[in-house]
Amino acid sequence: MTHWLPTLTNGHGPLYIRIADEAENAIKSGQLPQGAKLPPQRDLAYDIGVTIGTISRAYALLRERGLVTGEVGRGTYVQADATVSNAGPRDAAALTYGGTRSLIPPPGKLRFDTTAAVDIGQAEIVGRIMMDIATAHPGEISSYTRTVSPDWQEAGRQWLSHGGWSPDAEQILPQLGVHAGINAVIAAVTGTGDRVVCEHLTYSQVSRSATLMGRQIALVDSDADGILPEDFERVCAREHPKAAFIMSSGQNPTLACLPLSRRKDLIEIARTYNVWLIEDYLYGGMVGDDIPLLAELAPDRTFLLNGLSKSVAAGVRGGWVACPPHMSNRVRVTQKMVSGGLPFLLAELSARLVLSGAASEIRGKVLAEITAREAIVRALFAGHEFRSHPRLPFFWLKLPEPWLSGTFKQAALDADVLIDDEDEFKPARSPRVYHHVRVGFSEGRERQHSSDGLAVVRRLLDQSPLGTSAIM
């Protein structure tokens, strides 16, 4: 085994990326020659004072780059052709904003790191509607979209409605999906250097996008029920944020659901400190609870977003945002600036799916399949600590000792299953360690496909990390 230690003061970005970059430089310079054995993960973690999960992720990244190979019981070795790799230098932006998932997923793996709508055959319906649009609107398809159709707004009003409440159709704008809509809202209500509140665990691509736009992230504490109002007030008083990103129901990844009392408290605090609320109801709409939305309770300062990606068709990228009064024009401008504008075909297709009833029909079938798969999860993982919901396509799994989140993710990858470690959901540097992973189960048209992957994850829980290639 070659004696090698990385220099952690070099480079930028997360520690595991810097370690991987140092190893790659050592390989290409010959310091780690072809066939050299890298230090065991436990030893290297101890020597440089980091967690074994950090080393596990660094070694996994080296494997993704094609620089090393590993076998259970033997260790991790430099590939024979690694020193002539043509991968090129690492892109700093990709390292900083890319998260812990591979930008291009490795082939031949079961995708349990996605929560896109289950394939129930919706492509046939989508294709038929698209043909109708092309026939009826050839001019609009060949040109740019410069207007917002009342039908697009009406579709958004229906999709964003909750119980007996619905937003004002005139304040609704179609979007290139919920993520793009959130970016447009953040650009509209904040400026460079302003702070956006996020939970310690959340859909972190929002925070990465905000950081890319020059915004800063302020972290707020949560418990099993969601954001703690007392800590939200502390953050507002000390850090003066301009906006707060909140998933009020079906929070990703923890599945938390804010009780009504907390929603009211958060709104009161937001009013006191003049904070805009961005309510992502993408999963909440699937949960279908009867708790009033933040947008119902405070329409004057809440941007409500929902879309089609999780319950109808992710490839359509359809979504809507309901804006507070007098804010829709501003969001429309920022939407165009950050995304280039809305394609007619997308907006018309999304509207027709909703207004024809096809979206509701598809959603019903998708939710039925999710419920069946979630029942498999509950049966298969009985005796382990996890959180799931019959209408949500993922569960939040607590790992038993001595598993760490990054190590378990690597073990799952070695078993040909892609899942998400907890770091994927951290919007900023955080000292919190949760020892959880998120496992999605919506991929694949056949239920057996999902069941097979879940069985692999379940078997790993009963193994020691020492019995897998995650530690070498």
Side-chain angles (χ1 to χ4, degrees), residues 263-335:
R263 298 184 189 208
K264 291 180 177 179
D265 288 344
L266 292 176
I267 288 169
E268 182 178 350
I269 295 165
R271 290 192 194 283
T272 300
Y273 292 94
N274 195 27
V275 176
W276 293 103
L277 302 177
I278 304 171
E279 184 174 18
D280 179 349
Y281 208 62
L282 190 56
Y283 291 112
M286 298 170 71
V287 170
D289 58 42
D290 58 0
I291 307 174
L293 303 175
L294 296 171
E296 292 182 60
L297 301 169
D300 59 311
R301 67 176 47 255
T302 304
F303 295 86
L304 174 65
L305 298 105
N306 197 353
L308 306 177
S309 63
K310 309 303 181 183
S311 60
V312 179
V316 172
R317 299 301 292 173
W320 297 268
V321 55
C323 304
H326 313 300
M327 292 297 292
S328 59
N329 283 337
R330 178 182 294 187
V331 173
R332 186 178 176 187
V333 170
T334 57
Q335 172 197 29

Side-chain angles (χ1 to χ4, degrees), residues 132-211:
D132 291 342
I133 294 171
T135 301
H137 301 281
E140 286 83 351
I141 288 177
S142 65
S143 186
Y144 292 107
T145 302
R146 293 182 171 86
T147 62
V148 176
S149 165
D151 284 349
W152 301 351
Q153 294 178 304
E154 173 58 22
R157 186 194 68 79
Q158 292 185 22
W159 201 251
L160 294 170
S161 295
H162 180 259
W165 175 87
S166 62
D168 183 352
E170 293 183 355
Q171 298 297 322
I172 293 173
L173 294 171
Q175 301 291 312
L176 281 160
V178 169
H179 185 165
I182 293 170
N183 289 345
V185 171
I186 290 175
V189 301
T190 67
T192 302
D194 285 343
R195 296 184 183 275
V196 178
V197 176
C198 293
E199 297 174 70
H200 281 263
L201 291 170
T202 190
Y203 175 60
S204 62
Q205 291 193 39
V206 166
S207 63
R208 293 179 218 146
S209 298
T211 302

Side-chain angles (χ1 to χ4, degrees), residues 64 105-114 381 395 406-421 437-441 443 449-460:
E64 291 177 15
K109 309 295 182 182
L110 296 175
R111 293 294 308 276
F112 281 51
D113 61 343
T114 178
F381 291 84
F395 66 106
T407 310
F408 191 83
K409 175 182 178 178
Q410 180 58 45
L413 175 64
D414 292 338
D416 294 330
V417 177
L418 299 176
I419 62 174
D420 284 313
D421 59 4
V437 292
R438 195 199 74 170
V439 183
F441 47 84
E443 178 72 2
H449 176 97
S450 179
S451 182
D452 290 345
L454 291 170
V456 172
V457 177
R458 176 64 180 81
R459 287 196 298 271
L460 284 174

